[in-house]
Amino acid sequence: GSSSAAAATTCPAAENWRRLAKSSAGGVSAEAEAHAVLLQLADNFVQQELAAMAPSELAEVLHAWGVLLLRPPEPLRILCKHVQCRVEEFEPEALARMVAALGRIGFVHEGLLEAACTQLAGRAVDFKAGEIAAFVYALGRLRFRRTWALHAVCNHALGCIGDFSPQEFSDFVYGLWLLRFKHEGLLSATCQHTPGELADFNPR
């Protein structure tokens, strides 16, 4: 609650954000006092030497802001710009988590999303099915459509369609639908793949 957020204000480190996100389950943002503390914490965080932080730590912070539904415009802009400049340092899991966070809070930073899509297209083979699903679903929520990246990831997905869980595959396809993107090969593969998996899909 408010007390845990206030305690963290004195040490605006990635670990504090991880703990806040884990303990709150998004509930902290509903408390006006705690939300104000979190906004101050975000301001404090981006005043640090971000270049000295590991990519995993930066990803953890952005992920936490997504969990907390925290959307401080200027700190987000600063953090996203920094991550954009170092995007090649991030592992696929970290990229997917950050894009998913942006999707959750509805924040479009074109520079970072463009750079992340470039990584997705060029390194699709390194992304796990769940990471692809989270990434594309977030792009759909943000209505951030880059045809060249979607073509690349769909071409890759054709060879690993069986690696998606029902929920992941549903998120992936729904993200493509939100983007109004049609890939004939994937559409055909979906029609062949889905009937055999229907028993594992929930009503949603």
Side-chain angles (χ1 to χ4, degrees), residues 14-130:
E15 176 62 20
N16 287 322
W17 284 109
R18 187 191 67 78
R19 290 201 303 267
L20 282 168
K22 185 177 180 180
S23 65
S24 72
V28 173
S29 61
E31 305 173 29
E33 180 185 349
H35 188 67
V37 171
L38 290 173
L39 290 175
Q40 182 60 54
L41 182 56
D43 284 333
N44 292 347
F45 178 80
V46 296
Q47 291 172 23
Q48 297 181 98
E49 183 56 53
L50 298 181
M53 297 191 67
S56 59
E57 294 178 312
L58 295 170
E60 193 73 65
V61 171
L62 196 47
H63 170 73
W65 290 1
V67 172
L68 295 165
L69 299 180
L70 193 65
R71 199 176 187 273
E74 187 60 14
L76 267 171
R77 186 192 65 78
I78 293 171
L79 181 55
C80 287
K81 179 63 176 177
H82 180 77
V83 170
Q84 176 190 346
C85 295
R86 296 175 58 186
V87 71
E88 294 183 359
E89 300 178 30
F90 290 82
E91 296 295 327
E93 179 187 7
L95 288 171
R97 293 179 82 199
M98 290 189 295
V99 173
L102 294 179
R104 191 159 192 254
I105 60 180
F107 187 82
V108 175
H109 186 281
E110 291 207 6
L112 175 54
L113 290 173
E114 190 84 28
C117 283
T118 298
Q119 294 298 307
L120 176 65
R123 300 163 57 190
V125 67
D126 297 325
F127 282 76
K128 296 177 181 177

Side-chain angles (χ1 to χ4, degrees), residues 99 113-114 116-124 131-158 164 171-187:
V99 173
L113 290 173
E114 190 84 28
C117 283
T118 298
Q119 294 298 307
L120 176 65
R123 300 163 57 190
E131 294 161 357
I132 290 173
F135 199 121
V136 173
Y137 178 62
L139 292 179
R141 296 180 74 174
L142 295 170
R143 304 302 192 271
F144 192 84
R145 190 179 192 270
R146 292 296 181 268
T147 302
W148 46 270
L150 297 174
H151 268 297
V153 77
C154 286
N155 287 338
H156 169 68
L158 284 173
F164 289 85
D171 288 346
F172 178 44
V173 173
Y174 185 54
L176 294 174
W177 179 82
L178 288 173
L179 295 167
R180 300 299 187 264
F181 180 80
K182 184 178 179 181
H183 186 281
E184 292 292 348
L186 185 63
L187 182 61

Side-chain angles (χ1 to χ4, degrees), residues 154 157-159 161 169 183-195:
C154 286
L158 284 173
I161 199 167
F169 193 67
H183 186 281
E184 292 292 348
L186 185 63
L187 182 61
S188 176
T190 299
C191 292
Q192 296 175 31
H193 173 74
T194 306

